[in-house]
Amino acid sequence: MHHLDNPLQPLAGAAFATPVAGAVRCVQALGCELGEGLLWSVREQALYWVDILACHLHRWDPASGALQRWTFAEEISALAERAQAPGLIVTLRRGFALFDPATDAVPRYLHQPEPERLGNRFNDGKCDAQGRFWAGSMDFACEAPTGALYRYDPDGRCTRHDDGFAVTNGPTWSGTGQGTAMYFNATIEGNTYRYDSDPATGTVSNKTLWKHWLPEDGLPDGMTTDAQGRVWIAHWGGWCVTCHDPVTAAELGRVTLPVSQVTTCAFGGADLRTLFITSARVGLTPEQLAAEPLAGALFAVDTDSLGLPAHPFGG
C-alpha cells in the first residue's frame, strides 16, 4: 500500500520522460488583470480560478459551458476544496477564510497571521496530501522582502515556515526517490527552492536552491506536479510553462503561450490530462496589449501527462 500513501513516489531509477502536448487553445478570454489560483474540482467536474486584483472568483463548467463569477471586497488569491464540508478554503488579502459559493454571501475569516505587515497581501497556495493549506504572503508593491510561507492546519494552528520573500508562488510537492520534496518560488529573485518535506509532521527543512532562472526565462510563478512527479512551472514574462525533472531541474518540455505574463497551471478535465493555464494583463502597455489580445485569458492544452487530484483541506 505504500504507493497509495505516497502517489508521487516514482520507481527507483525511473527516467523522466518528455511530455507531449497538443495545441494551446483559449477557453475563456476574460481579460483578467491577474488570473491565478487554478483549482480543478473532481467532485464538481468544474474549474475554479481567481482574478486577484479584480477580487473575482470564477467557476467554469466545461460540460455545460456555464460560467459563474463572485466579487469580493478584497483580493482573493488561492483556494482549495474542503474535505469535511461543502465549499472552499481561500486566501484573502490578510489570510485564511472559508467560502461556500452555494450559500455564502461573503467569506468568513479563519486567521490573519501577520497583522503587523500592512503592506502585504496573500498570494499563491495549495493543500498538501495531509489536508494542510500552505500559502505565501508578499509585498503588494513586489519590492520589500516581507513575504512569508505559512502552513494552516485543519485544527486552526498556523505556522510560519520561512520568511524574507518579496513575492511568493507555489508550493508544489514531488516524491523524488529521496523522500518528499516541496518546491517554492521566490519570484522576484528568479529562484525556485527545494525543501525536504516531512508529511508526518508538516515541517520543511534543508532549503536548497533548486534552480535560478535567467532573465530570458522570465520569473517563476505558479506551479503544479504531475503523477510522475515532474514539476510544471508558469513563467511570468516568459511566454511559457515548462516541465522539469524534480531532482535535477532539467527542462523536459515546454508549452509556449500567446501571452507573456503566464501565472499558474493545473491539471484537470475528466481524465486529469488537460493542463489549464492562467495569465495576466496588469502592467502591460497599450502597445503590449495590442500585441497580446488574449492577455488575461484562461488557456488549456491536452497532454499525455496524468495530473493528480488537488488535495482538499482537512477541515
Side-chain angles (χ1 to χ4, degrees):
M1 295 294 288
H2 178 70
H3 65 289
L4 295 178
D5 296 332
N6 186 2
L8 295 177
Q9 195 73 33
L11 296 173
F16 290 95
T18 297
V20 177
V24 173
R25 60 189 188 275
C26 173
V27 291
Q28 292 292 336
L30 296 180
C32 289
E33 285 294 299
L34 184 54
E36 261 283 7
L38 279 169
L39 171 71
W40 175 258
S41 168
V42 173
R43 68 187 178 194
E44 298 178 15
Q45 291 292 294
L47 186 74
Y48 288 91
W49 74 103
V50 303
D51 183 343
I52 296 177
L53 297 180
C55 307
H56 290 158
L57 171 66
H58 297 282
R59 180 187 183 274
W60 175 53
D61 182 336
S64 69
L67 183 66
Q68 296 171 275
R69 187 181 79 183
W70 296 264
T71 302
F72 300 128
E74 60 187 278
E75 298 79 14
I76 177 172
S77 60
L79 55 152
E81 290 186 290
R82 299 178 65 190
Q84 308 299 328
L88 308 168
I89 184 171
V90 303
T91 46
L92 301 176
R93 181 190 303 175
R94 299 294 179 206
F96 303 91
L98 297 177
F99 179 71
D100 185 348
T103 60
D104 289 344
V106 296
R108 295 163 282 150
Y109 260 114
L110 294 167
H111 183 63
Q112 301 182 30
E114 47 179 43
E116 75 287 356
R117 302 188 184 192
L118 299 178
N120 276 7
R121 67 165 175 82
F122 269 78
N123 197 39
D124 202 4
K126 57 175 67 74
C127 286
D128 64 19
Q130 290 71 38
R132 300 171 290 230
F133 195 15
W134 294 74
S137 62
M138 59 171 275
D139 175 30
F140 222 126
C142 306
E143 295 172 356
T146 53
L149 170 65
Y150 296 92
R151 188 197 81 224
Y152 185 78
D153 294 355
D155 64 6
R157 289 179 298 165
C158 188
T159 307
R160 184 181 296 167
H161 284 275
D162 205 348
D163 208 344
F165 305 98
V167 175
T168 59
N169 273 290
T172 196
W173 293 264
S174 178
T176 63
Q178 304 161 353
T180 301
M182 188 182 83
Y183 303 83
F184 194 62
N185 286 332
T187 298
I188 297 300
E189 296 83 1
N191 291 334
T192 301
Y193 292 102
R194 179 198 181 278
Y195 303 77
D196 290 337
S197 176
D198 185 335
T201 61
T203 56
V204 292
S205 59
N206 298 328
K207 178 184 183 181
T208 58
L209 178 63
W210 181 71
K211 186 171 178 64
H212 175 70
W213 303 88
L214 300 175
E216 55 265 32
D217 295 320
L219 298 173
D221 209 303
M223 51 187 171
T224 192
T225 310
D226 65 24
Q228 288 190 31
R230 297 174 298 191
V231 178
W232 297 70
I233 299 182
H235 294 251
W236 178 273
W239 302 81
C240 67
V241 172
T242 53
C243 174
H244 297 266
D245 182 308
V247 178
T248 67
E251 184 175 320
L252 301 171
R254 177 176 293 231
V255 176
T256 301
L257 280 297
V259 293
S260 60
Q261 294 180 163
V262 186
T263 51
T264 198
C265 53
F267 285 96
D271 60 359
L272 291 177
R273 293 183 184 272
T274 300
L275 187 68
F276 291 102
I277 303 166
T278 51
S279 64
R281 58 189 285 127
V282 63
L284 296 178
T285 66
E287 294 76 17
Q288 288 172 312
L289 289 171
E292 300 179 37
L294 292 177
L298 170 71
F299 300 92
V301 57
D302 296 326
T303 76
D304 69 344
S305 304
L306 178 64
L308 293 163
H311 298 303
F313 178 65

